[in-house]
Amino acid sequence: MNPRIQMVDLQSQYQKIKEEIDGAIRKVLLHGKFINGPEVKEFADNLADYVGVKHVIPCGNGTDALMISLIALGLKEGDEVVVPAFSYIAPAEVIAFRELIPVLVDVDERTFNFSSEHLEKSITAKTKVIMPVHLFGQACDMAPIIQLAKKYDLDVVEDNAQSLGAEYIHPDGSRQYTGTIGKISCTSFFPAKNLGCYGDGGALFTDDDELAEKIRMIANHGQSQKYKHDIIGCNSRLDTLQAAVLNVKLRYLSTYNAARIEVAEKYTEAFKNIPDIDTPVQKEFSTHVYNQYTLKVRERRDELKTWLEKKGIPTTVYYPFPLQKQAALKGLTRTASTLDVSNRLCEEVLSLPIHTEMVPTEQNYIIEAVLDFFK
């Protein structure tokens, strides 16, 4: 019998914590403080304690977080921000929207993250920010990025939407959570993330007191106090109801990440002898929390996708087009290398279902289907 399989099973996850979630939501409904209620600050403080950063400033979504970071750093029209070419569009999108220049850099073909080989070559006198994206649950190699930032007096803004809870391991062996290394970090609480709410939500992290205050003002119409607007800002707030949900789910984040790791390890063991695919790597400088489990499939990716879909197994291609081929960005970017790896990855990557509630019967069915395809 074909088990019921989803890319992400949020319904089953909710059922396990239903009493806590319902109680948290009911509390908000009773006190009625739906905007900037006490749960928002409580969640921000709890998340700051979890990752070890001084300031967590919640906002409306992860894209807003990226936008606010660029505003807070005072970038001017024509300034350049370096981003990976293989990524979701949001980082490059907000850069272009601010009339800045996204500089596209190729990625490592095994980690899918920034390639240090190409990064320094991308930097010019106009470069102001390096924006590493910790893709699919694994940290970029931050030590060389921080070194380059210091060498050229650049700021680092981490896009940590997919890797909350992953740890970067410094060359000296010390560890930091992703999102606590750059000057600012941005994250998303989109429902499918490792820490997801039941709608949109996001946050910015920083250890800089002055910058934190500026970010808070920008996210709240530029107000230093009610009706006193010192700078031009926007309206980007995390709803109290979503903060209440996140406060509950934060208690389970380590457990959720451990469950994803267990699923990933089982996949990797099952597929290790298939010559036509590469399973995800875990580099020595990072842990991996597997927001996605992404294979590289040589030549037959689309055939495998169709095969699995016919068996009732959903898959997703993250991402089918590199940023340099997105029509919205045409004429707005600068490329810093040939971007050959990014082009090739878009034709090879395939993400399998992975989530916190996957049961052995479901995963065994997926594994057997993949192995049958490659017989």
Side-chain angles (χ1 to χ4, degrees):
M1 188 171 97
N2 185 350
R4 172 181 162 272
I5 296 174
Q6 303 178 64
M7 288 295 290
V8 180
D9 186 357
L10 296 176
Q11 298 94 330
S12 296
Q13 186 187 73
Y14 163 67
Q15 289 300 326
K16 288 187 176 179
I17 56 173
K18 181 179 186 300
E19 187 174 334
E20 293 173 81
I21 291 287
D22 291 357
I25 290 174
R26 189 180 304 112
K27 183 178 177 181
V28 176
L29 294 176
L30 288 173
H31 69 55
K33 297 173 183 175
F34 299 112
I35 302 296
N36 288 331
E39 287 81 1
V40 178
K41 184 179 187 305
E42 182 183 353
F43 168 65
D45 290 345
N46 289 340
L47 184 54
D49 288 342
Y50 183 96
V51 297
V53 72
K54 286 182 71 174
H55 303 281
V56 169
I57 304 100
C59 65
N61 54 69
T63 305
D64 278 4
L66 292 166
M67 183 81 72
I68 291 166
S69 73
L70 298 178
I71 298 170
L73 292 174
L75 273 61
K76 309 296 185 186
E77 180 179 347
D79 286 345
E80 294 183 346
V81 181
V82 182
V83 292
F86 183 71
S87 173
Y88 187 57
I89 197 173
E93 179 183 37
V94 299
I95 295 163
F97 189 81
R98 292 294 301 167
E99 298 186 326
L100 311 169
I101 299 172
V103 179
L104 305 182
V105 174
D106 215 351
V107 298
D108 181 86
E109 63 183 348
R110 295 298 282 118
T111 67
F112 313 128
N113 283 327
F114 260 148
S115 169
S116 55
E117 175 188 353
H118 300 298
L119 191 54
E120 186 164 15
K121 298 173 185 176
S122 72
I123 296 170
T124 71
K126 293 183 178 180
T127 307
K128 304 300 178 185
V129 172
I130 301 173
M131 189 177 283
V133 178
H134 303 299
L135 203 65
F136 298 157
Q138 183 170 215
C140 296
D141 191 358
M142 292 301 294
I145 292 172
I146 296 299
Q147 288 173 0
L148 283 176
K150 290 178 179 177
K151 180 177 178 179
Y152 293 100
D153 193 24
L154 307 176
D155 290 323
V156 174
V157 175
E158 298 173 76
D159 182 337
N160 196 36
Q162 297 187 21
S163 299
L164 190 61
E167 290 182 298
Y168 178 70
I169 303 166
H170 290 273
D172 65 3
S174 62
R175 293 173 175 243
Q176 275 183 277
Y177 279 116
T178 53
T180 67
I181 303 166
K183 190 165 189 177
I184 303 175
S185 173
C186 304
T187 197
S188 166
F189 305 123
F190 183 80
K193 304 301 185 189
N194 291 35
L195 179 63
C197 56
Y198 294 160
D200 274 320
L204 300 97
F205 302 174
T206 186
D207 281 324
D208 186 313
D209 296 341
E210 185 177 338
L211 195 54
E213 185 58 31
K214 188 175 182 181
I215 289 168
R216 289 190 180 93
M217 290 171 62
I218 293 167
N220 189 27
H221 296 290
Q223 296 180 103
S224 57
Q225 61 188 63
K226 195 168 184 179
Y227 301 128
K228 186 176 186 296
H229 305 269
D230 297 320
I231 57 177
I232 295 296
C234 61
N235 176 22
S236 184
R237 297 177 293 219
L238 179 67
D239 290 343
T240 307
L241 284 166
Q242 300 300 347
V245 169
L246 288 165
N247 244 335
V248 173
K249 294 184 73 176
L250 179 59
R251 301 171 200 153
Y252 296 93
L253 179 56
S254 295
T255 302
Y256 290 159
N257 285 341
R260 287 175 176 272
I261 291 166
E262 185 177 351
V263 172
E265 289 177 345
K266 186 172 179 178
Y267 275 143
T268 297
E269 178 64 23
F271 302 147
K272 67 181 181 181
N273 294 322
I274 302 176
D276 292 330
I277 64 175
D278 290 331
T279 55
V281 298
Q282 182 178 326
K283 300 298 285 185
E284 66 282 356
F285 54 76
S286 179
T287 62
H288 205 316
V289 295
Y290 295 99
N291 182 246
Q292 305 297 341
Y293 185 88
T294 302
L295 300 171
K296 280 176 57 185
V297 186
R298 282 178 283 283
E299 297 183 0
R300 303 176 67 193
R301 191 271 307 276
D302 293 342
E303 291 178 51
L304 175 60
K305 182 175 175 61
T306 300
W307 169 271
L308 294 174
E309 286 173 352
K310 286 179 178 178
K311 293 180 176 292
I313 300 169
T315 61
T316 304
V317 175
Y318 301 107
Y319 299 96
F321 306 103
L323 295 184
Q324 68 269 22
K325 293 185 178 179
Q326 294 287 359
L329 295 172
K330 187 176 182 180
L332 301 177
T333 66
R334 181 172 70 79
T335 57
S337 64
T338 61
L339 307 182
D340 290 340
V341 173
S342 296
N343 280 318
R344 188 167 62 252
L345 287 176
C346 291
E347 298 174 354
E348 294 179 339
V349 293
L350 187 68
S351 296
L352 300 180
I354 188 167
H355 53 78
T356 60
E357 309 308 313
M358 185 169 282
V359 297
T361 53
E362 293 174 341
Q363 189 173 14
N364 290 340
Y365 180 81
I366 297 167
I367 289 170
E368 289 169 11
V370 172
L371 294 176
D372 286 345
F373 177 82
F374 286 104
K375 280 183 178 176

